[in-house]
Amino acid sequence: MKCPKCQSENPDGAKFCGGCRSKLELVCPECGYANPPGNTFCNECSHELRQPAETAPVDYDRPQSYTPKFLADKILTTRSSIEGERKLVTVLFADVADFTSLSEKLDPEEVHQIMDGFFKIVMDEIHKYEGSINQFTGDGVMALFGAPLAHEDHAQRACSTALSIQRAMSEYGEKIKKEHGAEFKMRTGLNSGPVIVGSIGDDLRMDYTAVGDTTNLADRVQQAAMPGEIWLSQETYNIIQDYFQSESVGEIELKGKAQKQSLYRVLSERTEVRTRMDAGLVRGMTELVGRRPEMEALTAAFDRVKGGEAQVVD
C-alpha cells in the first residue's frame, strides 16, 4: 500500500508506514471514514474503496462540486458556531511557474487538460488535510487552513499539504515533460494570521475578512518563491519550526511591503517530531522535579491496573 502522507510503498498487511511511521489507512472517498489497509469496502458506509467514486464534472466556481462529502458535512454542521468569529489561520497560495510561457507553447486544449490534472492533485491534498479551497486563480489556488474548520495545528497541516503537493508535482511534472516537452513546476507561499469568518452558504461559499495583510502577504511570498519550492513568512515559520526542516532564504523585498521580509524555505518534515511534547524534547525541556510522591502514586496505580484491578487517581 502506498502511504498517503509520504508516498512510500509498503508491503500488504503493514499497519504503519516504513517511511514516515504514519498509520496506514484507506480513507473512504464517500464518507471520509478511515478504514484498515486491507479493506475492499468501507466499514462505515460500504462504499468500494479500491476504485474512485463517480463524481460529476468539477465546476471550479461551485465549491460543492469539488469538496468531498465528509468535509462538506463537517463545514455545514459547524458553521453556526464559527460564523462571525476571529480565527487564526494559515493561507496557502500555489500556482504554476511560468504559466504564460507554457500557454504560448501548447495548444489551449492541452493546457486545459494539464491544468485539470494539476487542480485534481492540489485539491486532493488540500482536502486530505481538511483545508478549504477559497479561490481558483486561473493558474493556481488559494486555500485556508484553520477556517472554516478550526485546527490548532493549521500551520503544520498547511506545510504537510504543501510538501505532499510538491512530491506529487515532481512526478506529474516528469509526465508533462515527457508528453509535451514542457517544464511544469509550481511555487508555493504560506503565511499565518487572523481572519474573521463571515457567512458560510449552503453551497459552501465562505465570506471572510482578512485582518491586516494575512492573505496579501501569503500571495507575495508565493510570488517570490522559486519554482518547485515552498516558502514561508516569518509568522508561519515561528509556528512550524520545530516540526519541519527549513532554512532561511534571507530578507526579501516584497511588493507593497515597506521593509524587507524574513522568508524561509521548507525542506521536509521532522519524522521524530509528531506532538508538542516531541517538539519540546527537541528544544530541550526542563526536567520535572519535586513530584516524586505524585509519580510514585501514579506508578503504583498503573501497576495495579496492569494486574487487572481498576484504579481512580484524584
Side-chain angles (χ1 to χ4, degrees):
M1 177 183 178
K2 181 178 284 189
C3 175
K5 190 165 188 180
C6 72
Q7 305 301 309
S8 297
E9 290 289 349
N10 292 275
D12 292 340
K15 295 182 179 179
F16 293 88
C17 175
C20 67
R21 299 192 299 176
S22 298
K23 188 174 182 180
L24 295 176
E25 299 172 328
L26 284 173
V27 177
C28 176
E30 183 67 21
C31 69
Y33 185 80
N35 294 270
N39 275 28
T40 300
F41 299 95
C42 177
N43 286 338
E44 182 70 16
C45 70
S46 78
H47 182 80
E48 188 170 358
L49 301 172
R50 300 296 177 174
Q51 65 180 34
E54 294 185 4
T55 57
V58 174
D59 182 345
Y60 299 119
D61 292 326
R62 300 172 59 246
Q64 69 267 38
S65 75
Y66 55 77
T67 304
K69 183 178 183 299
F70 78 93
L71 196 55
D73 288 345
K74 282 187 177 182
I75 293 172
L76 294 175
T77 299
T78 60
R79 63 177 172 176
S80 62
S81 63
I82 62 177
E83 289 179 335
E85 284 198 355
R86 182 187 177 105
K87 296 288 185 183
L88 183 63
V89 304
T90 296
V91 182
L92 179 152
F93 272 92
D95 80 344
V96 177
D98 298 322
F99 179 72
T100 301
S101 176
L102 179 71
S103 301
E104 292 174 348
K105 293 178 182 177
L106 303 177
D107 182 85
E109 288 191 6
E110 290 180 309
V111 175
H112 180 76
Q113 183 181 15
I114 290 172
M115 292 306 296
D116 274 351
F118 165 76
F119 286 136
K120 175 68 166 60
I121 292 171
V122 172
M123 287 190 297
D124 286 349
E125 297 302 330
I126 290 173
H127 291 147
K128 184 169 72 177
Y129 289 94
E130 297 194 348
S132 174
I133 297 176
N134 188 261
Q135 181 183 353
F136 288 92
T137 60
D139 59 350
V141 299
M142 168 193 167
L144 298 180
F145 292 82
L149 293 180
H151 292 292
E152 289 188 3
D153 59 346
H154 53 87
Q156 293 96 300
R157 287 172 180 259
C159 286
S160 293
T161 299
L163 287 169
S164 294
I165 294 173
Q166 186 184 61
R167 287 190 290 265
M169 282 301 157
S170 177
E171 182 177 338
Y172 188 64
E174 289 297 322
K175 177 176 179 289
I176 299 305
K177 187 173 183 178
K178 181 178 179 181
E179 294 179 357
H180 302 279
E183 292 287 338
F184 189 87
K185 291 185 178 181
M186 59 173 289
R187 49 175 158 241
T188 307
L190 289 85
N191 179 46
S192 301
V195 300
I196 297 175
V197 179
S199 62
I200 301 172
D202 292 334
D203 61 356
L204 301 180
R205 288 190 179 280
M206 183 182 71
D207 295 324
Y208 74 95
T209 302
V211 179
D213 61 351
T214 300
T215 303
N216 180 60
L217 182 55
D219 188 27
R220 299 304 187 200
V221 172
Q222 175 264 127
Q223 293 175 22
M226 298 297 292
E229 296 186 352
I230 304 163
W231 285 20
L232 311 173
S233 68
Q234 182 71 58
E235 289 76 10
T236 302
Y237 174 77
N238 291 341
I239 300 173
I240 63 88
Q241 59 181 312
D242 294 325
Y243 300 89
F244 295 84
Q245 296 282 356
S246 55
E247 62 184 14
S248 172
V249 295
E251 293 190 344
I252 309 295
E253 288 187 4
L254 299 180
K255 183 178 178 182
K257 303 297 291 184
Q259 298 181 347
K260 291 183 178 181
Q261 300 293 305
S262 297
L263 303 182
Y264 300 82
R265 179 189 298 112
V266 177
L267 303 176
S268 63
E269 291 183 294
R270 295 180 185 269
T271 57
E272 73 278 13
V273 179
R274 311 293 297 176
T275 66
R276 289 182 180 178
M277 182 65 71
D278 294 335
L281 291 173
V282 169
R283 289 194 302 268
M285 296 180 67
T286 303
E287 183 179 357
L288 185 64
V289 297
R291 295 291 185 270
R292 181 176 298 174
E294 289 84 354
M295 291 302 299
E296 290 177 349
L298 288 173
T299 302
F302 181 59
D303 290 339
R304 287 194 288 272
V305 168
K306 289 192 293 185
E309 182 181 349
Q311 296 290 304
V312 176
V313 178
D314 187 2

